[in-house]
Amino acid sequence: VVNDAPGDAERASVLASLDALGESYHVWDVTQWGSASQAVLAPYCALLWLTGDDATTTLTTAEQAAVAGYLADAPAPHLLLSGDDLGYDLFVAGSAQDRQFYEDILRAYYLGENTVSFAGQGLAFLGAISFSLLNDGGADGHGYPSRVYPKPDGLSIAHYGDGSGAAIAWDDGYQLTYLAFKLSSLSTAAARTQLVDQTLYWFGCGAGACPADINRDRQVDIVDVMQAASQWGGPYRIRYDVNHDGVLGLLDVVAVAEAWTHAPPCGAQ
């Protein structure tokens, strides 16, 4: 967890969710130790990077370089990035380099600041989650959540009540979830924990991880075996690299088949 947010609400909210899920984690607090380097980030299966309601120093040039390096070089890089004003800071108020990072690394189109509706619904792997950003359940309350849209081949994974995009994901050489709102503004602890759980499961990281469940439907079956086989020798996509050796091939198909026949199978509820 990289706590790059003002105050402690964002950090406390996310750590409570991780504790509820029984996850192990380390915390890097930017206000105490400065920007996290690529070397600090490299060992981790998943990064949860929190910018909260910061609107001026969300991701510095050094932090952008560390994130880009992690996503390019780590064996199995996964990033959950959350913040109200990240899009405004990088795309509107930022430099050309900031805008390039936003579009090329975060794979996002910025559609504007704020939304007329603070209720929302998850899509894709967040499809079971309905949420509110209103401060009615002890959460930190919303600020100015952004509206976003994924670049081609990306995923829309949540929308606000007015239909505009609230969160996107990328699933190619690395896996990325970008929430255009601060995670702590979800109005209930249950919604925050469910979002973290679903994202970590989609990443194939954490205590309940099941990399062999390729379509992430919480079970391993013939569909997963067929999906693994369909990617054999194709362009690299991290979700299909079940054994994390950098190659999509027979060993991944075998790993999925073995998980399917194991009792109980990986991913079983």
Side-chain angles (χ1 to χ4, degrees):
V1 177
V2 179
N3 183 35
D4 202 1
D8 192 53
E10 193 77 1
R11 174 183 181 275
S13 178
V14 171
L15 296 194
S17 292
L18 292 172
D19 288 339
L21 294 168
E23 299 288 356
S24 60
Y25 55 83
H26 294 106
V27 179
W28 183 276
D29 196 316
V30 173
T31 59
Q32 293 188 48
W33 303 307
S35 298
S37 67
Q38 183 180 343
V40 169
L41 306 178
Y44 295 98
C45 178
L47 304 180
L48 281 66
W49 196 300
L50 315 172
T51 66
D53 54 11
D54 181 9
T56 56
T57 59
T58 54
L59 286 175
T60 66
T61 299
E63 289 169 338
Q64 291 174 33
V67 168
Y70 166 79
L71 295 176
D73 298 335
H78 307 86
L79 172 66
L80 186 157
L81 181 61
S82 169
D84 271 353
D85 296 305
L86 185 68
Y88 176 82
D89 184 31
L90 296 184
F91 196 83
V92 177
S95 65
Q97 179 179 330
D98 293 332
R99 289 190 289 274
Q100 183 177 12
F101 175 85
Y102 189 81
E103 290 196 341
D104 292 352
I105 304 299
L106 303 187
R107 309 298 299 175
Y109 290 127
Y110 177 75
L111 301 183
E113 197 73 2
N114 221 337
T115 172
V116 298
S117 172
F118 294 102
Q121 176 64 50
L123 305 168
F125 61 87
L126 297 183
I129 301 175
S130 297
F131 64 89
S132 168
L133 303 184
L134 299 176
N135 192 6
D136 59 4
D140 191 35
H142 65 76
Y144 298 94
S146 300
R147 292 174 285 117
V148 295
Y149 192 78
K151 294 194 74 174
D153 296 326
L155 300 170
S156 292
I157 58 171
H159 61 73
Y160 301 113
D162 62 2
S164 59
I168 64 170
W170 178 252
D171 180 21
D172 204 325
Y174 52 87
Q175 284 188 299
L176 164 77
T177 297
Y178 166 34
L179 310 178
F181 52 85
K182 55 184 180 180
L183 191 56
S184 65
S185 65
L186 292 178
S187 61
T188 67
R192 296 190 293 274
T193 300
Q194 187 179 13
L195 189 151
V196 171
D197 180 42
Q198 291 292 98
T199 300
L200 289 177
Y201 190 84
W202 184 67
F203 284 168
C205 296
C210 182
D213 179 14
I214 289 177
N215 63 0
R216 304 301 197 247
D217 63 353
R218 301 275 179 171
Q219 61 183 357
V220 181
D221 52 26
I222 188 60
V223 175
D224 299 295
V225 176
M226 292 174 64
Q227 288 195 357
S230 73
Q231 298 297 311
W232 186 349
Y236 184 78
R237 296 183 67 187
I238 187 172
R239 185 156 51 96
Y240 298 92
D241 186 8
V242 178
N243 62 354
H244 300 310
D245 64 355
V247 178
L248 304 182
L250 177 60
L251 293 179
D252 299 299
V253 180
V254 170
V256 176
E258 288 179 344
W260 177 29
T261 57
H262 187 270
C266 164
Q269 296 298 291

